[in-house]
Amino acid sequence: MRERRGRELLGGEASPSHAQRQRGGLPTERARASRASRLFIPHGAAVIGALAVLWAGNFPLLPRVGAVVPLSASTIQTLLTIKSSLGVTLTTWTATNTVCTLSNQQQLATDWTGVYCSAIGEVRYIDLEGQKLSGSIPKDISKLTLLNHIGLGTNLLAQRLDVFTSNVLPLSNLADLHIHQNWLYGTIPTALIALPKLYWIKFFRNYLTGTFPTPGPALKNMDLQHNFLSGPFPSHSATYCTATSNCFSQAATCNTTATTQRSPAACSVCGVTMTGDGTGWVVPVGGAATQVLCGGGVCAPNATVPASLGSPYVSSSPLLPMFCAVVGMDGGSSQALLALKSSLGVTLPSWVPAPTATVMGVASTSPSFPSSSSPSSAYLCPVTGALAPPLSAAAAAAGTWSGVDCNAAGAVVRINLNRQGLTGTIHSAISKLTALTHIDLGYNLIQARLSTFATPLTALTALKDLFLHYNWFMGSIPSSLLRLPALTALGLFSNYLTGTIPPIPSSLVGLDIGNNFLSGSLPPHSLQFCAAENNCLSSSTSSSSSSKCNFYGTNQRPLANCAVCGIGDTAGTAGVGGGCWDGVCVADAAVPVAQGVPNGPMQPTLPMTCVGSSVVTIRSSSSSALLALKTTLGVSLTTWRTDLPCAIDGSTSSTWSGGTWSGVRCDITGNVTYLDLNYQQLRGSIHADVSKLTALTLLNLHANVFWMPLGSFTSRLSALTNLKLLQLQYNWLYGSLPSTLLALPRLTKLTLNFNFLTGTVPPVSVSLAYLSVQQNYLSGTFPSNSITYCNSLYNCFTQVGNCTSAGRDQNMGFMCSICGSVDGSGALCSGTGVCKPNVAEAVAAGAVYGPDSDLVVMYCDTI
């Protein structure tokens, strides 16, 4: 009973001598009681103290019981910061309280409770035991450079010890640290025990684990009882030491009181199995090197147990179940996160290897594990959902990878990287995170096709929550994403998604797709939460309970705002059209990103264009012109249909396999730029609607069976002011070469070889760089020109000095004697006649296109 009363007097487990407590002029319970009736100012400071008291002016020197000194404004502010951080509720801790009780003096009810100062107003002693504190020690405490005593015992402090005491380390004058009877857990920091003047520690009745570091030479009083400390106790020079009720394998050097340790069963916590060695000591099963607490993580008490019983959270006896608040990641998870760090562009400084593991009885930098999937001491993460009040999740997670949570086995289950400025992609290594249930990548700068970005996620069969909101995602919603078997919540709002919404599985509970450009009808669903406002949907306002999606309202975009990338227009229904087909409709994020926008838009309004498409929806004006040509030219191609896209001119690769308009290419806006109909046995005429193809740059009709005057055949091409290349060789075209054809403003290449043209050549446009009229019946003098390539071989010219690229050989005289002309120099077909080939014989003989020689009879036909 005597020993018990002595422990209660100290608030600890055993009482050091009165002399041991009477150090540095600091107050003790007995010292303050014995001096309660007299004014005392420490020797050497009487005059200064008295002047300071008189200077304060707010209270008389007598009949004051204890002496006070004024506090500086900066010291008051530091104490107020401590008050806020620790949760001090004492009414005397106010900014208007400007004086401090001198050391060794009794306090009045109006003084800063528990605070004592030196004669010059420097805080030396803070005693806040039993105040139900639950916060943390702030960094500003380091400003109290002469602080000698900190008493925070018997409170509700529930943090990792190394985090909780990190701001105490700069206090080089600290002598007493009393933090007993709290919920402090984790290991004892070596730097804390090595403080140069630390004399007395009271750590009893907490949940501390790991080994006890070698104490500094100044440490003389140590009370470590009722924790879960392990391993052999280090040698020391302490006068008073007690370490009963721990898990030490040897505590003989800390034996001021009995050395009885916990039972092996009570010490088997957080993945460590303990046994007795036959002499009363507790040792790890299999040897200390294999016993790693939480894979190198943090072992904490299960605070939910007393919470459910209404406990005030004061740890009167640390017998609660222990669990891993922080664990070492398994090998597969750490490798996957390193890959994601690179591919997503994660810049968080905490995504680096974590500190050395804490081993039961042994400090180890490389603990041995049986396989690569076992916990790794290099990477730590908090256990999701494990920390309930009053435990501090932030303190427990210190030193871990930000935004990453694990399960108790060390497998990553949650990744939260919102607002990180990410711009990259998801690495395929994410498939290794088979236990992953939650991903949040919202509020970033990711600009990618959703179907491509989300492909690696389809392997995550345990994924429940996926949030990709406020980014620059484009394209359609892949059905494979919605079909993830465990997915219950999907956030895609505020992106640039287009296309229709795939069927919604019944397992999906919440879906937010608001602020996009999605079109069509909303599929029936059984969603508990659904938001689809500001899209281009046609049925989001449906009264049917199976298709409502109105959590944030059902207003849709105006049709004018839905006319993007060929999808819909102001006069039609939103969503009509093929859109970007195998490409993606993209908003140009370069400008806002360059201006420092931190994430995707709340209201997507940027202009959108097709990117990555190999096909495009053909414009209605172009398709109608082509269908008219199909009729007049006799085109028999079955792919000339309005439901098919047009291949984009210049596209070098294509993922589109659904068919296109054969021989037709378009620009990215759907205007026809290229029409190639060679070897199609065409024999008709060019329809007037060809003039609608104003963007046409190439027209290839060579090797067909056109049999008509060239002037008539090409008369409707004069409207094609962008035409650059015209190929009409190997046909049965006859008559003269029209000047309007050679005057086309952008025509650079014209091939008319192997036809039956007669007459002279008109002046050539300066833009024409390539002209081939070989194997015709043209005559006269070739005009002056600047043609780069010119072929007039085998005609009836009298001079071809300016057309020499292919030689000057002309037909023999008798070959040019046609239709009444001698050597090509006389008049052809007097009157209204026209000289033309007799194609009937050739066609009857099986010819399917113009001849490769001119051995065809020419005759005059009256028009």
Side-chain angles (χ1 to χ4, degrees), residues 549-848:
C549 198
N550 57 2
F551 190 85
Y552 287 113
T554 55
N555 292 332
Q556 298 298 295
R557 297 181 183 277
L559 289 180
N561 294 341
C562 289
V564 294
C565 298
I567 304 175
D569 52 43
T570 57
T573 302
V576 173
C580 296
W581 301 88
D582 63 335
V584 61
C585 191
V586 177
D588 186 0
V591 174
V593 170
Q595 293 173 346
V597 173
N599 50 254
M602 181 175 180
Q603 290 290 343
T605 57
L606 292 178
M608 298 178 71
T609 56
C610 289
V611 172
S613 303
S614 62
V615 295
V616 66
T617 300
I618 193 169
R619 284 186 177 272
S620 57
S621 58
S622 293
S623 61
S624 64
L626 291 178
L627 292 177
L629 286 172
K630 178 180 180 180
T631 300
T632 59
L633 289 174
V635 179
S636 59
L637 294 169
T638 58
T639 57
W640 279 36
R641 308 195 318 255
T642 55
D643 62 323
L644 291 180
C646 175
I648 294 179
D649 197 359
S651 177
T652 57
S653 61
S654 175
T655 58
W656 178 253
S657 59
T660 61
W661 287 64
S662 298
V664 181
R665 296 182 187 175
C666 298
D667 60 22
I668 60 173
T669 64
N671 290 307
V672 174
T673 59
Y674 180 104
L675 183 55
D676 185 352
L677 293 174
N678 65 85
Y679 294 97
Q680 294 296 318
Q681 301 184 49
L682 307 181
R683 60 186 66 231
S685 60
I686 296 176
H687 195 279
D689 280 359
V690 75
S691 61
K692 297 178 180 179
L693 305 179
T694 55
L696 193 65
T697 60
L698 181 146
L699 178 58
N700 186 358
L701 297 175
H702 92 270
N704 280 291
V705 197
F706 295 121
W707 186 43
M708 63 186 304
L710 178 63
S712 299
F713 185 76
T714 60
S715 61
R716 287 163 174 165
L717 302 182
S718 58
L720 304 180
T721 55
N722 286 303
L723 192 65
K724 296 179 180 180
L725 174 60
L726 178 59
Q727 294 176 280
L728 298 174
Q729 68 269 31
Y730 290 101
N731 274 287
W732 303 86
L733 297 170
Y734 56 91
S736 60
L737 187 57
S739 58
T740 54
L741 188 61
L742 294 178
L744 283 170
R746 290 183 174 82
L747 191 66
T748 59
K749 184 175 182 179
L750 177 61
T751 56
L752 295 167
N753 42 298
F754 292 95
N755 276 286
F756 293 86
L757 302 178
T758 57
T760 59
V761 178
V764 178
S765 169
V766 293
S767 64
L768 195 63
Y770 185 109
L771 175 63
S772 179
V773 292
Q774 176 187 353
Q775 209 82 19
N776 279 283
Y777 293 89
L778 297 168
S779 58
T781 301
F782 201 90
S784 175
N785 64 84
S786 58
I787 297 174
T788 303
Y789 177 88
C790 183
N791 183 358
S792 62
L793 192 66
Y794 300 120
N795 274 279
C796 303
F797 289 113
T798 57
Q799 183 181 351
V800 290
N802 294 319
C803 192
T804 59
S805 295
R808 305 186 182 188
D809 292 344
Q810 298 299 300
N811 285 325
M812 299 173 60
F814 74 91
M815 294 291 293
C816 291
S817 299
I818 56 172
C819 297
S821 171
V822 178
D823 295 335
S825 58
L828 297 174
C829 300
S830 60
T832 58
V834 59
C835 187
K836 62 183 182 180
N838 187 349
V839 70
E841 294 180 2
V843 172
V848 293

Side-chain angles (χ1 to χ4, degrees), residues 431-448:
S431 62
K432 296 180 180 179
L433 305 180
T434 55
L436 194 60
T437 62
H438 177 98
I439 297 176
D440 187 350
L441 300 177
Y443 292 96
N444 279 295
L445 300 171
I446 302 171
Q447 187 176 20

Side-chain angles (χ1 to χ4, degrees), residues 309-339:
L309 299 176
S311 167
Y313 300 115
V314 175
S315 177
S316 58
S317 180
L319 296 175
L320 294 178
M322 301 279 282
F323 70 102
C324 292
V326 175
V327 294
M329 293 182 202
D330 63 47
S333 291
S334 60
Q335 294 169 17
L337 289 179
L338 287 174

